[in-house]
Amino acid sequence: QVQLQQSGPGLVKPSQTLSLTCAISGDSVSSNSAAWNWIRQSPSRGLEWLGRTYYRSKWYNDYAVSVKSRITINPDTSKNQFSLQLNSVTPEDTAVYYCARAPTGMVQDPFDYWGQGTLVTVSS
Amino acid sequence: SYVLTQPPSVSVAPGKTARITCGGNNIGSKSVHWYQQKPGQAPVLVIYYDSDRPSGIPERFSGSNSGNTATLTISRVEAGDEADYYCQVWDSSSDPPVVFGGGTKLTVL
């Protein structure tokens, strides 16, 4: 059974960096089939996919254009986890952030396991 | 970019059948996934690739996809099915390419 456990602060000041971590159990961040995603949800924007990291003999990342200049998703193989960093945040980045697994590597994959979600509020 | 349109709300009596639609241009040519989300919880995958059910999801949940509409059908609705439901597709011409519908609130009367 795959489990994703999120951690990170729930309050970030404007212009600072949002940092969250997703610890994986029951699978490997270095899996040659799965992809590891960050998705956020807010009343104004709904569910919004932010990006993913995956390993296919080397590491790859894909990011949504809307956040591409500000986002980094990194794997940590020593801890079997991956992280999200979002720079220069504004109140518009206030949302519940989820990590999620796409299981088989196909671009049409569903997200079959999700983290518990972290409400991140951007406020001074 | 690709747009998925869901009705904001659907109401159904216990024991009846609920149908939640997801409209999109030629959505029948895409693979549609459905998620259930209860208040304060993460989404849960209930239907994937149009009509497949993950293990642990009751057979009461089924899906179909044709033309411009995908449909999630919940038979013999129970009070515990009350939740928000979201459809999702991958569209290579959109950014982001992962596209979610706006969600439908299912109310069990």
Side-chain angles (χ1 to χ4, degrees):
Chain A
Q1 178 79 348
V2 176
Q3 291 187 327
L4 304 178
Q5 181 67 40
Q6 298 178 220
S7 59
L11 181 63
V12 181
K13 289 181 166 54
S15 80
Q16 295 193 344
T17 297
L18 180 160
S19 296
L20 296 173
T21 298
C22 182
I24 304 163
S25 58
D27 201 346
S28 171
V29 71
S30 303
S31 165
N32 271 295
S33 57
W36 304 98
N37 299 260
W38 287 99
I39 296 163
R40 67 182 178 183
Q41 184 176 30
S42 65
S44 58
R45 303 167 77 103
L47 285 160
E48 180 184 14
W49 179 83
L50 299 177
R52 62 179 183 169
T53 189
Y54 58 99
Y55 185 76
R56 304 289 185 268
S57 302
K58 69 174 186 176
W59 289 101
Y60 293 88
N61 290 297
D62 297 315
Y63 299 130
V65 166
S66 62
V67 295
K68 191 168 187 175
S69 63
R70 301 191 291 132
I71 190 173
T72 304
I73 297 176
N74 279 328
D76 182 343
T77 57
S78 65
K79 295 182 180 179
N80 200 30
Q81 64 187 29
F82 62 108
S83 63
L84 168 69
Q85 287 195 312
L86 189 64
N87 302 326
S88 305
V89 296
T90 72
E92 286 196 354
D93 294 310
T94 294
V96 177
Y97 286 76
Y98 294 100
C99 58
R101 186 186 83 157
T104 72
M106 294 178 64
V107 292
Q108 304 96 327
D109 256 359
F111 302 109
D112 62 347
Y113 289 98
W114 296 63
Q116 80 275 22
T118 303
L119 173 60
V120 178
T121 302
V122 179
S123 175
S124 53
Chain B
S1 65
Y2 196 76
V3 176
L4 294 174
T5 302
Q6 298 183 237
S9 62
V10 168
S11 298
V12 64
K16 301 298 186 183
T17 298
R19 293 179 179 86
I20 298 172
T21 59
C22 177
N25 184 33
N26 198 26
I27 195 174
S29 67
K30 302 183 183 300
S31 297
V32 180
H33 314 304
W34 290 92
Y35 303 89
Q36 175 194 70
Q37 186 179 34
K38 297 181 178 179
Q41 298 184 18
V44 172
L45 180 67
V46 293
I47 292 291
Y48 65 102
Y49 289 114
D50 297 342
S51 58
D52 290 335
R53 266 180 298 103
S55 61
I57 300 301
E59 291 183 6
R60 301 184 297 104
F61 288 80
S62 62
S64 62
N65 184 20
S66 178
N68 293 317
T69 304
T71 303
L72 172 68
T73 301
I74 309 171
S75 304
R76 302 180 300 282
V77 166
E78 303 174 356
D81 299 331
E82 187 163 288
D84 293 326
Y85 291 85
Y86 296 90
C87 56
Q88 179 246 311
V89 301
W90 175 282
D91 179 72
S92 59
S93 64
S94 295
D95 197 283
V98 175
V99 181
F100 288 94
T104 298
K105 169 66 177 179
L106 176 66
T107 298
V108 180
L109 301 171

